Amino acid sequence: MQAVIMAGGKGTRLSQITKDEIPKPMVSILGKPLLEWQIEKLKENKITEIILIVGHRKEKILEYFGDGKKFGVSISYIEEKEPLGTAGAFYYLKEKIKEEYFLLVFGDVFFDIDIKRMEEFHREKKAKATLFVHPNTHPFDSDLVVKDREQRVLSFFLKTQVRNGWYDNCVNAGFYILSKEVCKKVKQPQKTDLEKEILMQMAENQEEIYAYSSTEYIKDIGTVERIEKTIEEIQSGLVKKRNLKYDQKCIFLDRDGTVNVKKGLVYKEEELILEDCAIEAIRKINESGMLAIVVTNQPVVARGLCGIEEVEKIHQKMKTLLGKEGVYFDDVMFCPHHPDKGYPEENPIYKVSCSCRKPEIGLLEKCEEKYHVDLKKSWIIGDTTVDIQTGKNGGLRTILVQTGEAGKDGKYEVKADFICRDLLEAVEKIIEEENKG
């Protein structure tokens, strides 16, 4: 697969660093240009044929990288005589792409990704375009992707649009696999916006455009603050260990009674109220490098109290509240089933026995596969014996919190590894235990 890097950015928000003397991708990260980091990561993924689209201060890039031989890659160039936006250069690019599809990387993105996984997803979906998406710490000022349960992109929620309701923290990261056919949509070498003028139109036309969700490290470092944060995370080892080539440690979280206040069966969005300590607890998980994934039984669907869409809206509220405070879940998974029949309003489609309803470990196994989670090195936090039994069944270490039901459900004769006052104390205990060894 060839890679294309959009390296023509001026970097207005980084002017105190670039001083208009270098293009944005040449900004230094721990002593070498961001663009060099990108090329090294591509090479690690066995991608060695690279096309750089250059413009502003292009001579700095050409002088530094040349034909790429000294970096172990082959580099060719497309020079923009005037800025063509994020897709205008596709007019010229279509003549340079040799294969069916190519990788496109924005020049202000720092990443450490197992690209092979994304490529396999792209091929399985037979996609024309695959977008790398992820939750981030600032969804409120990011362009968001709206997708269905098959990960097909339905629409985009731009940061310039007014957001009065709840939304999914699903951010377009500026990292794509695109069919060569996409380039043909640019008929003239004129300023063109990839997202607004091409991808949004493809979604509206119901073309094969998909979102690849990953927990791996990718960050837009278009501001000084984000550069400083990235440097900190490189030095701490967080960047490397989030690559899905490596085993991941996860803290699985129950929802009702653990993350949010227990209020019986929550089936309306207004009934979801976060525990007072939830924001700080999840912040600590995000900073630890471990994944934060909610796994929850939601029999409200089987009982006919609400539908899948309403549960997802509740989760959007939860993600929005967290995102406003700069924290996020890496994923939220739920089981809508319930095996017991006999409720007058029940939905028979979901009245079945399944492998995803806790204490079965179907949701854990799904995460194990999707995110390369090592269950033996992971934890689960919950307020019921069902949660603790789930952990035991999956080989996880377990913590019972004294919020919610506080283990008084009495469904299983099982003992947690630790008992903590609330979610925050539980997370702090996990971090303490992890630091021991």
Side-chain angles (χ1 to χ4, degrees):
M1 184 166 57
Q2 293 168 282
V4 177
I5 304 177
M6 305 292 293
K10 187 174 182 179
T12 305
R13 293 179 297 170
L14 294 174
S15 58
Q16 67 186 89
I17 296 177
T18 64
K19 297 180 172 33
D20 201 33
E21 296 173 353
I22 57 172
K24 181 165 55 174
M26 292 298 287
V27 66
S28 180
I29 308 291
L30 292 174
K32 61 186 175 186
L34 168 60
L35 187 53
E36 186 174 351
W37 283 95
Q38 292 182 325
I39 289 171
E40 287 178 352
K41 294 303 177 185
L42 292 175
K43 186 181 174 184
E44 286 176 16
N45 281 274
K46 298 182 171 53
I47 296 174
T48 57
E49 189 169 344
I50 300 167
I51 302 168
L52 299 183
I53 298 177
V54 295
H56 180 72
R57 297 290 187 189
K58 61 182 180 294
E59 68 279 359
K60 298 293 184 180
I61 294 176
L62 272 66
E63 288 170 8
Y64 191 92
F65 291 100
D67 62 6
K69 284 183 180 178
K70 69 178 181 179
F71 299 94
V73 298
S74 173
I75 298 176
S76 61
Y77 297 87
I78 293 176
E79 297 185 25
E80 295 181 344
K81 304 302 182 185
E82 57 185 39
L84 295 177
T86 50
F90 284 13
Y91 177 81
Y92 304 108
L93 185 61
K94 60 179 176 284
E95 303 301 328
K96 285 180 165 282
I97 298 301
K98 301 173 183 177
E99 305 297 334
E100 180 184 345
Y101 53 81
F102 64 97
L103 181 72
L104 177 69
V105 184
F106 282 2
D108 58 358
V109 170
F110 192 98
F111 64 89
D112 195 336
I113 294 167
D114 183 0
I115 297 173
K116 184 178 179 181
R117 281 177 171 258
M118 182 177 178
E119 185 178 8
E120 287 173 351
F121 174 91
H122 178 82
R123 292 171 66 91
E124 286 171 5
K125 295 294 186 181
K126 297 181 173 59
K128 289 183 180 177
T130 296
L131 290 59
F132 188 108
V133 299
H134 65 143
N136 75 8
T137 57
H138 52 100
F140 46 84
D141 69 353
S142 301
D143 291 340
L144 304 177
V145 175
V146 180
K147 54 188 175 64
D148 65 17
R149 294 184 202 100
E150 301 302 317
Q151 308 307 305
R152 188 164 191 151
V153 175
L154 303 177
S155 62
F156 292 81
F157 201 173
L158 302 181
K159 58 188 174 186
T160 53
Q161 293 176 282
V162 177
R163 297 179 185 170
N164 293 321
W166 314 120
Y167 50 82
D168 194 3
N169 185 345
C170 182
V171 177
N172 184 13
F175 197 92
Y176 310 84
I177 296 178
L178 301 176
S179 166
K180 183 178 180 178
E181 297 299 308
V182 174
C183 294
K184 296 180 181 179
K185 295 179 181 292
V186 180
K187 305 297 184 183
Q188 298 293 331
Q190 60 190 27
K191 194 167 187 178
T192 308
D193 187 287
L194 174 61
E195 189 171 67
K196 296 176 183 176
E197 297 180 62
I198 297 180
L199 297 179
M200 289 178 71
Q201 190 64 49
M202 289 177 69
E204 287 179 17
N205 294 340
Q206 298 183 345
E207 295 185 61
E208 291 79 11
I209 173 172
Y210 286 88
Y212 172 74
S213 302
S214 177
T215 59
E216 292 168 293
Y217 193 93
I218 184 163
K219 188 186 290 290
D220 162 7
I221 58 172
T223 69
V224 174
E225 293 75 20
R226 291 178 194 166
I227 288 177
E228 291 171 347
K229 185 64 175 176
T230 297
I231 290 172
E232 176 187 323
E233 290 169 337
I234 294 170
Q235 293 174 326
S236 72
L238 173 65
V239 172
K240 182 176 180 179
K241 70 181 180 181
R242 290 301 285 264
N243 189 304
L244 292 185
K245 293 176 183 176
Y246 307 110
D247 289 342
Q248 303 295 305
K249 294 180 180 180
C250 181
I251 300 178
F252 293 100
L253 308 166
D254 175 53
R255 198 191 81 179
D256 303 328
T258 304
V259 173
N260 57 282
V261 177
K262 184 77 172 181
K263 295 174 67 70
L265 293 174
V266 176
Y267 60 95
K268 297 177 182 178
E269 60 189 76
E270 58 266 26
E271 295 173 338
L272 183 127
I273 301 171
L274 294 176
E275 287 281 352
D276 291 339
C277 66
I279 299 292
E280 187 58 28
I282 297 160
R283 190 186 313 279
K284 286 181 179 290
I285 302 177
N286 294 158
E287 292 172 350
S288 76
M290 300 183 76
L291 306 184
I293 297 179
V294 171
V295 286
T296 175
N297 292 343
Q298 290 302 318
V300 290
V301 177
R303 293 187 179 185
L305 297 174
C306 68
I308 294 286
E309 293 77 12
E310 285 74 22
V311 174
E312 291 175 342
K313 180 62 71 173
I314 290 168
H315 291 158
Q316 286 176 9
K317 176 180 180 180
M318 186 166 60
K319 293 173 184 178
T320 304
L321 294 175
L322 296 178
K324 287 179 178 178
E325 300 298 329
V327 303
Y328 58 87
F329 291 126
D330 291 287
D331 208 337
V332 177
M333 296 188 177
F334 68 95
C335 168
H337 308 112
H338 196 286
D340 299 335
K341 300 179 180 180
Y343 297 87
E345 71 280 7
E346 68 187 24
N347 186 333
I349 296 174
Y350 297 101
K351 279 292 181 177
V352 296
S353 295
C354 64
S355 63
C356 58
R357 179 173 168 80
K358 296 183 295 184
E360 299 296 326
I361 62 170
L363 294 180
L364 305 185
E365 290 175 331
K366 186 175 180 179
C367 293
E368 182 180 35
E369 179 181 1
K370 185 176 181 180
Y371 300 123
H372 203 171
V373 171
D374 186 337
L375 296 181
K376 305 298 183 187
K377 296 180 181 178
S378 298
W379 297 74
I380 189 168
I381 304 172
D383 68 309
T384 69
T385 62
V386 174
D387 299 313
I388 305 308
Q389 186 63 55
T390 304
K392 299 297 183 184
N393 291 345
L396 287 72
R397 300 179 77 182
T398 59
I399 296 185
L400 179 71
V401 290
Q402 295 179 310
T403 50
E405 296 201 36
K408 296 176 183 177
D409 59 300
K411 291 186 177 180
Y412 295 91
E413 290 290 335
V414 64
K415 185 177 180 181
D417 293 300
F418 300 98
I419 297 176
C420 293
R421 180 178 62 253
D422 55 24
L423 180 58
L424 178 57
E425 187 176 280
V427 170
E428 290 173 339
K429 183 63 179 176
I430 291 172
I431 293 172
E432 177 189 325
E433 291 295 308
E434 289 293 319
N435 288 338
K436 287 180 180 177

